[in-house]
């Protein structure tokens, strides 16, 4: 059977923002390596507004240049979602894909899904079924709605299938494939950038980290948009930094709010080393050697679990419970005392090491490609 018999057109693979890139890179390689190959088109909505960082991530992950770039840029959730839909429809009409493959939970994921389903183009969702059960998170809305209308859903953990079934989605539409984010991590770990090089590029002396370090990322509005909340978090991070130097990769939103709220005095430049947003290989190097990671990122919860590095998640909930149940993740929210105590446990050598969850083995994308081939061959959806 040839690929022409599989569908009317290629698999249109959609990326929009940084988290998507790490998930799509192994998928594209797996589609090309499948026998027979599954033809694919890469469409970048341009939701990620930092063009230089986007280019660097594509290079780090060995992602091909996009076949189509919608160049949407940054805007409010409503405007951005609408603009993606407006620009995506002509691309869909022109290229006539056999299906649209979306990953994760960013605005582009939902926007392209809505356009495709309304035009009767099958939708495949990778990383389906994750739930925080916090409807105040825009990502949660994107996840729930995408899953409801997608035709084929690939999950990273078994509990995600349970979530989908509870929401009325037929289990026959779901395939437990594993975590493509970990495919990227394992395939790139040997290429991780040395920490000393990353620090020098950021204007810091690598000798400051001779006794170890932690890594910090903060970007969620609930953590950085309120002066008191951000001030409390910076205060407790400063306490941790007095015992363990922290490398803080500053999101532009966070940097702007530190300046706007006049909180710069809370940062000791000898103990809390500020860096601009980092590339994938730089962050991988920083995390792999870290004593701990403190973050409000979803992806870092997964990556630290795969690396066996203790992680403190500065959120009240997580859509990735397996990282807590089986992995290295501890939920501490914005509770200063909880952060202080959990960090002390790690520094005392009692941090969680966990285990790597089922099918987080570097072969998730291969399983997706094999299943997708059979699904398309059977006449999806």
């Amino acid at each position: 059977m040839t690929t022409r018999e599989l569908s009317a057109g290629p698999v249109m693979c959609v990326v929009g923002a940084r988290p998507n890139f790490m998930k799509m890179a192994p998928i594209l390689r797996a589609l090309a390596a499948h026998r027979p190959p599954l033809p694919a088109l890469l469409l970048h909505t341009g939701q990620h507004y930092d063009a230089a960082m986007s280019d660097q991530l594509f290079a780090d992950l060995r992602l091909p240049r996009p076949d189509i770039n919608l160049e949407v840029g940054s805007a409010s959730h409503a405007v951005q979602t609408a603009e993606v839909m407006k620009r995506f429809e002509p691309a869909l009409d022109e290229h006539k894909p056999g299906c649209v493959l979306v990953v994760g939970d960013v605005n582009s994921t939902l926007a392209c899904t809505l356009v495709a389903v309304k035009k009767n183009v099958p939708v495949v969702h990778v990383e389906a079924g994750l739930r925080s059960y916090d409807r105040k998170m825009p990502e949660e809305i994107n996840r729930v709605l995408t899953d409801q209308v997608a035709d084929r859903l690939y999950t990273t953990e078994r509990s995600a299938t349970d979530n989908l079934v509870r929401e009325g989605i037929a289990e026959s539409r779901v395939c437990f494939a594993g975590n493509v984010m970990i495919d990227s991590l394992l395939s790139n770990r040997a290429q991780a950038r040395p920490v000393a090089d990353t620090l020098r590029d950021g204007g810091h002396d690598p000798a400051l980290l001779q006794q170890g370090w932690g890594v910090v990322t903060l970007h969620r509005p609930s953590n950085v948009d309120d002066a008191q909340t951000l001030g409390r978090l910076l205060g407790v991070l400063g306490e941790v930094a007095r015992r363990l130097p922290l490398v803080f990769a500053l999101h532009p939103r966070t940097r702007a709010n530190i300046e706007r709220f006049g909180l710069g005095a809370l940062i000791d430049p000898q103990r809390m080393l500020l860096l601009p947003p980092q590339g994938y290989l730089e962050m991988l190097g920083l995390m792999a050697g870290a004593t701990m990671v403190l973050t409000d990122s979803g992806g870092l919860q997964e990556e630290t679990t795969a690396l066996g590095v203790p992680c403190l998640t500065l959120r009240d909930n997580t859509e990735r419970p397996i990282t807590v149940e089986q992995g290295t993740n501890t939920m501490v929210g914005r509770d200063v005392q909880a952060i202080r105590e959990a960090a002390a446990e790690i520094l005392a050598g009692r941090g969680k090491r966990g285990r790597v969850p089922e099918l987080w083995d570097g072969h998730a994308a291969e399983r997706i490609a094999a299943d997708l081939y059979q699904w398309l061959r059977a006449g999806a959806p």
Side-chain angles (χ1 to χ4, degrees), residues 212-246:
W213 68 90
V215 175
V216 178
T217 75
L218 287 177
H219 74 282
R220 294 190 179 275
S222 57
N223 281 338
V224 305
D225 282 2
D226 176 77
Q228 287 189 337
T229 299
L230 182 56
R232 283 196 300 271
L233 289 175
L234 291 176
V236 72
L237 289 172
E239 292 179 33
V240 175
R242 284 194 283 275
R243 298 186 62 189
L244 177 75
L246 298 178

Side-chain angles (χ1 to χ4, degrees), residues 306-327:
L307 291 167
V309 174
C311 178
L312 301 183
T313 295
L314 309 178
R315 288 168 47 186
D316 295 325
N317 50 57
T318 179
E319 64 281 2
R320 295 164 168 87
I322 200 168
T323 63
V324 177
E325 295 159 3
Q326 299 182 22

